[in-house]
């Protein structure tokens, strides 16, 4: 069932599996240029009694766009969780979704019982890396950068073994609204969450992929060192989107971590 809500200024598209009342929910936050479908295989491997929520952040998928910065994206997630009556959740975010998760934990700790931060950092890239991408998207659309982006999403071995799936995920990227994509790039470009993230006191598991060129393991390990008591795991021969490339191992880590919070 397609689900929409307008908790504040934009309509958000989401998918909420209610699970069993009283069970701790798992809430997913997406990467740049993707929609909520990137979590489908992970969600299918979880206990069906666990409530789950995935959403298209503003400017992506079926959600409307509007002003975009990391704080706004975190507020959107908080608003939707409030709308659905979800609290004390395990928040699992990948890439910019991991930045959104960090920001959510800082502004609404009541909503966060644990963080699973995948392929992300307190800061990702720099003005020198983001500005050319933003310029290209605004001038020529996402198609102009799609091949280069997808090459960083997946390990070479996975891409070679799954050419049809790779082509399909490229289509998802290419169909992302260009302005929503560009605004999110701008949000990542200026975001540095180091101060607020270093102040977090919440159980945290940081996940890296050994073949991730977008947020290499050293970046994710640096994030783990920033959060007191966090744990770091590196998945071998996995790229930037383990939710697509390694849903089984990711779901197993989620299940173990989720159980430790109960």
């Amino acid at each position: 069932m397609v689900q929409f809500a307008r908790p504040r200024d934009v309509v958000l598209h989401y998918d909420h599996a209610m699970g069993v009342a009283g069970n701790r929910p798992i809430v997913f936050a997406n990467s740049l240029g993707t929609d909520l479908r990137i979590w489908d295989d992970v969600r299918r491997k979880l206990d069906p009694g666990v409530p789950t929520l995935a959403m298209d952040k503003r400017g992506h998928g079926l959600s409307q766009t509007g002003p975009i910065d990391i704080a706004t994206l975190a507020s959107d997630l908080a608003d939707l969780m409030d709308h659905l009556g979800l609290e004390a959740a395990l928040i699992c975010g990948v890439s910019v979704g991991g930045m959104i998760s960090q920001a959510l934990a800082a502004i609404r700790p009541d909503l966060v019982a644990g963080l699973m931060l995948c392929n992300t950092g307190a800061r990702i890239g720099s003005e020198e890396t983001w500005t050319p991408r933003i310029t290209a998207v605004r001038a020529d659309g996402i198609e102009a950068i799609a091949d280069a982006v997808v090459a960083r999403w997946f390990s070479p071995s996975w891409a070679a073994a799954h050419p049809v799936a790779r082509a399909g995920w490229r289509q998802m990227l290419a169909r992302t609204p260009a302005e929503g994509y560009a605004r999110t790039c701008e949000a990542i470009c200026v975001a540095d969450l180091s101060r607020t993230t270093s102040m977090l006191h919440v159980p945290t598991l940081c996940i890296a992929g050994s073949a991730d060129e977008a947020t290499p393991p050293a970046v994710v390990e640096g994030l783990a060192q920033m959060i007191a008591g966090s744990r770091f795991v590196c998945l071998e021969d996995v790229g930037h989107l383990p939710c697509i490339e390694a849903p089984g191992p990711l779901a197993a880590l989620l299940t173990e971590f989720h159980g430790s919070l109960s």
Side-chain angles (χ1 to χ4, degrees):
M1 180 176 67
V2 179
Q3 297 168 293
F4 295 99
R6 187 174 183 175
R8 195 157 30 101
D9 62 321
V10 301
V11 173
L12 300 172
H13 172 233
Y14 68 95
D15 183 84
H16 177 213
M18 296 184 66
V20 174
N23 285 351
R24 188 183 305 283
I26 299 177
V27 174
F28 296 94
N30 286 11
S31 59
L32 175 66
T34 67
D35 61 38
L36 56 78
R37 290 173 291 186
I38 66 171
W39 300 106
D40 283 356
D41 285 347
V42 174
R43 295 173 76 194
R44 276 192 285 265
K45 294 178 184 299
L46 298 175
D47 182 335
V50 175
T52 61
L53 171 65
M55 64 175 281
D56 293 341
K57 61 186 169 292
R58 62 172 63 200
H60 287 67
L62 301 183
S63 292
Q64 291 179 330
T65 194
I68 296 177
D69 57 28
I70 299 300
T72 298
L73 295 172
S75 293
D76 282 344
L77 184 53
D79 289 344
L80 185 57
M81 290 179 68
D82 285 340
H83 174 74
L84 296 171
L86 302 178
E87 60 184 4
L90 170 52
I91 312 294
C92 178
V94 62
S95 194
V96 68
M99 300 184 83
I100 295 167
S101 302
Q102 294 168 60
L104 179 69
I107 64 171
R108 288 292 304 274
D110 57 305
L111 298 179
V112 182
L115 291 171
M116 186 162 169
L117 304 176
C118 306
N119 305 74
T120 190
R123 179 162 177 75
I124 299 177
S126 64
E127 184 176 353
E128 290 71 25
T129 57
W130 287 111
T131 299
R133 190 186 304 197
I134 295 165
T135 301
V137 168
R138 287 222 164 99
D140 301 310
I142 294 179
E143 186 65 35
I145 64 160
D147 287 333
V149 170
V150 171
R152 294 161 69 87
W153 275 2
F154 306 119
S155 68
S157 59
W158 188 93
H162 301 87
V164 174
R166 181 188 183 281
W169 292 116
R170 185 190 184 283
Q171 279 291 93
M172 175 194 61
L173 169 64
R175 293 181 180 183
T176 300
E179 187 58 25
Y181 186 95
R183 291 184 188 184
T184 307
C185 288
E186 290 171 335
I188 301 169
C189 178
V190 300
D192 186 347
L193 306 180
S194 300
R195 184 184 65 83
T196 53
T197 293
S198 66
M199 297 170 64
L200 294 178
H201 295 280
V202 60
T204 301
L205 177 60
C206 296
I207 306 295
S210 69
D212 183 2
E213 296 182 1
T215 49
V219 171
V220 184
E221 189 168 16
L223 175 64
Q225 292 170 352
M226 194 177 293
I227 304 172
S230 65
R231 178 183 165 208
F232 171 74
V233 174
C234 185
L235 300 175
E236 284 302 312
D237 199 26
V238 171
H240 190 56
L241 296 181
C243 45
I244 296 175
E245 192 168 342
L250 200 65
L253 286 166
L254 260 176
T255 297
E256 177 189 15
F257 190 31
H258 183 265
S260 74
L261 299 175
S262 299

